[in-house]
Amino acid sequence: MPVPRPYGTWPSPITAAQVAQAGLRLGQLLWDPPYLYWTEGRPWEQGRSVLMRWHGSGSPEEVLPSGFSVRSRVHEYGGGAFAVAEGQVVFSQDADQRLYRFSEQDPEPLPLTPLGCRYGDGCLHGGYWIGIREDHRGPEVVNTLVRVALDGSDQTGGGQILQDGHDFFSSPRLSPQGDLAWISWDHPAMPWDSSYLWVARYDPISGSLSSVRLIAGGPEESVQQPRWTASGQLCFLSDRSGWWNLYAWDPEGGVRCLYECEGEFGVPPWVFGQSTYCLLSERELLASYSQNGFAHLIRLDWVTGQVTPIEMAETGLEQLQGSGNQVFCLGGSPTQPWRLLALDLETGAWQVWRAAESLGVGASYCALPRSVAFPSAGGRTAYGYYYPPTHPEYEGLPGERPPLLVKTHGGPTAAASPVLQWGIQYWTSRGWAVFDVNYGGSSGYGRAYRQLLRGQWGIVDAEDVVYGCRWLVEQGLADPERLVISGGSAGGYTTLVVLTFYGEFRAGASYYGIGDLETLARDTHKFEAHYLDSLVGPYPAAEEIYRQRSPIHHVDKLSCPVIFFQGLEDRVVPPNQAEAMVAALQAKGIPVRYVTFAGEGHGFRQGSTIQTCLEAELEFYRQVLGIGESS
């Protein structure tokens, strides 16, 4: 029988060092038969992103020499950092952001592009890499669709421009017939708000594009993930119905819906290279969609309309790749973190190809998420996952309710997922409850829910967090005197807003969060330079609203301790944001800690950083709440 012991003081076998070392980041997958290629970020190698490949027998192998790290920084968030065809790899090197070509015949990777440009989201065709260039060589950052010669002749110029005239481009994909598809969007829209899908005839000799046609998209439509079939049909995702669903276009029949449901086949394209479906044949595809926060997998024959659900244990799926009966993806569940999986569609058998090292902790230590929907302000319904304190040897004292850590995800158009995160189990195994909130504006619940933050950032998200905590307290699932909150980036902003304008919480942690919206509007990078136009209002016309919603201008209302974690190389939310908040709190005499990390940008990747943050945040809350020591 479990032994009664105060919540928050339970000894746990899950250490911060283990969590950091288990944080293998599985990224982009590409299928180039007979090999599957993928990237994996390794915290124990200072966050290096390694390119791997495997064909299913023997052992997976590293593709590149040890000094290379495959990562694109286009839009700062990157993605789509490599392309491969017939064993030839073109990739973006993290250290200098140049493109390099590599094959087994090359003694060393060959640089293809100059310094000062960033590249991503490319494909290979006829001696060229065709993709996105973000040019930082001039006074303004310029994004274009380019092709780069694989013989190294573009090392000075940086590639031939195929398309310009828009603020952003993505997803160039060539058909077997020589048609090029791509997506564009312009300020002030973000790609999940408004984007456009184009098709043009590509001349492989001159690189010119002709007969440019607009296929889909508009001011209130987001399109993503174009894929060509062998016969020249173009599949893609559109949210014109209010949900990212499956569509196809061909020159004779135009656009038609392949499958429609109240589920999200797409995710907000913060990064390049997302893949939530793959083409199995000329008439079939395999696709994953999210509904009520959980993933589903279907096989669709769009000629007959037959839909076959695929049995699986995973609650989250990403990066679908493959063809025929051989499919690969990243999948995770409440009892398994993200893993690289292979699926044989003929037998229905799943196989694990790659996973992080096990912590050696039994399932009895892992809290299972409870999906909750709760009433919020204005009659809204909001969502989240509640993780109860979980330990096979301990339970709380009679009549005691657990301290609650609330987590606010970033984006703010990202979403919490019910996939095992050791960073959450670190808390629950010590006797804490955790509430991962999908506030209004989160993805996975349709376009209308995603747009609840239009003009309402700092209001709707904060209300949903506070109302969710009050609801959990009413259910007896949390101690109202021991509520703390933590969030990163946009989630850090929501955290600081809640701490400033509401009195529910005793302490909080901001990871590279935003305290001053005006500074963010003036200083942030190109990709998000006008994001606040829709979330808050055009700046400087809406300057007064910016000041009203910026915690830095209302520190007199903030009266609880805060700990700040900040990467000194952050270009998305620069350190001056945290520094201004820290100075304001110090001037007021409020307990505050400021922890910085050299070599870290927006989102922490190094194992030592992850470990330090977990240990420091836990100790900070213990001091504030007076919770005794555990191990």
Side-chain angles (χ1 to χ4, degrees):
M1 293 293 291
V3 176
R5 179 167 177 158
Y7 285 119
T9 69
W10 301 349
S12 171
I14 303 174
T15 68
Q18 287 176 311
V19 173
Q21 294 305 310
L24 180 71
R25 288 170 173 250
L26 294 167
Q28 179 188 4
L29 311 185
L30 284 180
W31 174 233
D32 184 42
Y35 287 100
L36 179 74
Y37 291 75
W38 71 90
T39 58
E40 55 184 51
R42 297 176 177 175
W44 60 90
E45 294 186 27
Q46 289 72 52
R48 176 178 170 236
S49 183
V50 181
L51 182 61
M52 304 289 293
R53 74 175 187 179
W54 199 32
H55 53 65
S57 62
S59 300
E61 59 185 5
E62 292 189 24
V63 177
L64 304 173
S66 61
F68 288 88
S69 179
V70 180
R71 183 185 177 191
S72 169
R73 295 181 185 257
V74 177
H75 301 167
E76 299 298 335
Y77 299 104
F82 76 97
V84 59
E86 298 179 347
Q88 183 168 241
V89 177
V90 175
F91 66 95
S92 176
Q93 158 73 336
D94 188 20
D96 58 20
Q97 288 300 291
R98 301 171 76 185
L99 281 181
Y100 288 75
R101 188 201 72 207
F102 181 77
S103 68
E104 291 183 345
Q105 291 73 41
D106 299 325
E108 282 289 325
L110 172 71
L112 302 178
T113 56
L115 294 171
C117 294
R118 304 175 181 183
Y119 298 84
D121 207 16
C123 60
L124 300 180
H125 182 269
Y128 292 93
W129 176 94
I130 299 174
I132 311 305
R133 183 181 74 188
E134 187 175 85
D135 196 336
H136 290 251
R137 293 174 293 183
E140 301 290 334
V141 176
V142 178
N143 294 65
T144 50
L145 177 60
V146 301
R147 74 172 187 174
V148 174
L150 300 186
D151 61 6
S153 59
D154 285 324
Q155 287 189 35
T156 301
Q160 175 188 355
I161 295 176
L162 304 182
Q163 274 287 296
D164 58 9
H166 292 282
D167 291 322
F168 302 99
F169 296 87
S170 76
S171 312
R173 300 295 182 264
L174 266 169
S175 75
Q177 292 74 28
D179 289 317
L180 182 66
W182 72 91
I183 290 172
S184 72
W185 68 98
D186 294 288
H187 284 317
M190 300 301 285
W192 48 85
D193 296 322
S194 169
S195 55
Y196 297 83
L197 175 61
W198 307 85
V199 167
R201 191 68 181 170
Y202 169 70
D203 186 328
I205 305 299
S206 67
S208 62
L209 299 179
S210 59
S211 304
V212 178
R213 288 172 284 184
L214 176 63
I215 303 304
E220 292 295 323
E221 180 182 0
S222 169
V223 289
Q224 58 176 281
Q225 298 185 44
R227 307 270 191 279
W228 290 102
T229 68
S231 66
Q233 293 187 82
L234 181 64
C235 297
F236 62 96
L237 303 181
S238 166
D239 70 351
R240 61 179 61 183
S241 70
W243 303 83
W244 272 310
N245 284 174
L246 292 158
Y247 292 82
W249 169 86
D250 64 69
E252 288 74 32
V255 173
R256 68 190 188 281
C257 183
L258 298 181
Y259 186 78
E260 186 174 346
C261 72
E262 291 190 352
E264 294 278 48
F265 285 88
V267 292
W270 281 97
V271 298
F272 292 141
Q274 294 168 331
S275 182
T276 55
Y277 75 99
C278 62
L279 301 176
L280 303 177
S281 67
E282 182 60 31
R283 56 187 286 170
E284 281 192 301
L285 58 78
L286 192 74
S288 169
Y289 67 92
S290 175
Q291 196 169 59
N292 298 322
F294 292 86
H296 303 266
L297 187 62
I298 61 168
R299 184 172 186 170
L300 171 66
D301 182 328
W302 65 76
V303 175
T304 65
Q306 181 179 356
V307 177
T308 306
I310 305 297
E311 293 285 335
M312 63 178 185
E314 283 64 38
T315 54
L317 284 179
E318 296 177 354
Q319 288 292 317
L320 269 68
Q321 289 286 318
S323 59
N325 287 318
Q326 185 70 63
V327 177
F328 307 91
C329 67
L330 301 182
S333 73
T335 58
Q336 293 289 348
W338 292 101
R339 302 177 297 172
L340 172 53
L341 304 173
L343 168 62
D344 186 326
L345 287 170
E346 187 173 6
T347 65
W350 292 83
Q351 182 183 1
V352 178
W353 270 34
R354 191 69 165 171
E357 291 295 326
S358 171
L359 268 63
V361 176
S364 58
Y365 288 94
C366 294
L368 298 180
R370 303 176 187 174
S371 180
V372 298
F374 56 90
S376 188
R380 295 192 306 274
T381 297
Y383 306 92
Y385 301 99
Y386 174 81
Y387 294 81
T390 303
H391 198 296
E393 300 173 25
Y394 299 102
E395 63 184 6
L397 299 178
E400 183 191 17
R401 289 190 280 182
L404 177 71
L405 170 61
V406 177
K407 298 183 72 67
T408 55
H409 65 71
T413 51
S417 169
V419 171
L420 177 65
Q421 301 173 61
W422 290 115
I424 287 180
Q425 308 303 328
Y426 176 82
W427 296 90
T428 56
S429 62
R430 285 169 167 76
W432 293 69
V434 174
F435 185 36
D436 214 355
V437 188
N438 274 331
Y439 49 76
S442 303
S443 60
Y445 302 89
R447 184 179 179 94
Y449 193 78
R450 197 169 68 243
Q451 291 183 338
L452 284 176
L453 288 186
R454 281 195 170 181
Q456 298 295 306
W457 194 32
I459 296 176
V460 165
D461 49 324
E463 288 174 343
D464 288 351
V465 167
V466 172
Y467 274 69
C469 290
R470 292 173 181 172
W471 183 80
L472 290 176
V473 168
E474 291 172 1
Q475 307 303 309
L477 298 175
D479 183 346
E481 302 301 320
R482 295 190 292 176
L483 304 178
V484 297
I485 183 171
S486 175
S489 189
Y493 168 69
T494 300
T495 288
L496 293 173
V497 168
V498 167
L499 292 173
T500 301
F501 297 107
Y502 294 88
E504 260 81 2
F505 293 87
R506 293 284 307 281
S510 170
Y511 286 75
Y512 35 88
I514 303 152
D516 187 344
L517 293 176
E518 290 181 277
T519 300
L520 183 69
R522 293 191 297 261
D523 293 352
T524 196
H525 59 125
K526 179 183 177 181
F527 180 63
E528 295 182 81
H530 291 275
Y531 191 15
L532 299 190
D533 287 19
S534 62
L535 294 174
V536 182
Y539 186 82
E543 180 179 356
E544 183 55 33
I545 298 176
Y546 278 69
R547 294 181 66 85
Q548 290 172 4
R549 298 190 197 167
S550 295
I552 191 67
H553 297 301
H554 304 277
V555 177
D556 57 305
K557 298 179 181 179
L558 203 164
S559 58
C560 69
V562 185
I563 186 169
F564 293 83
F565 299 98
Q566 181 68 45
L568 296 179
E569 308 302 319
D570 197 333
R571 300 290 181 264
V572 178
V573 181
N576 61 0
Q577 288 275 344
E579 291 161 2
M581 286 296 298
V582 168
L585 292 174
Q586 287 175 335
K588 192 181 177 185
I590 294 175
V592 61
R593 281 196 64 192
Y594 183 38
V595 186
T596 62
F597 302 96
E600 291 280 18
H602 197 70
F604 298 153
R605 295 172 177 267
Q606 299 181 30
S608 59
T609 302
I610 297 167
Q611 178 179 346
T612 297
C613 289
L614 275 174
E615 291 174 343
E617 188 178 352
L618 175 60
E619 181 58 30
F620 188 74
Y621 295 153
R622 280 182 180 155
Q623 292 178 2
V624 173
L625 300 180
I627 293 177
E629 187 73 24
S630 65
S631 61

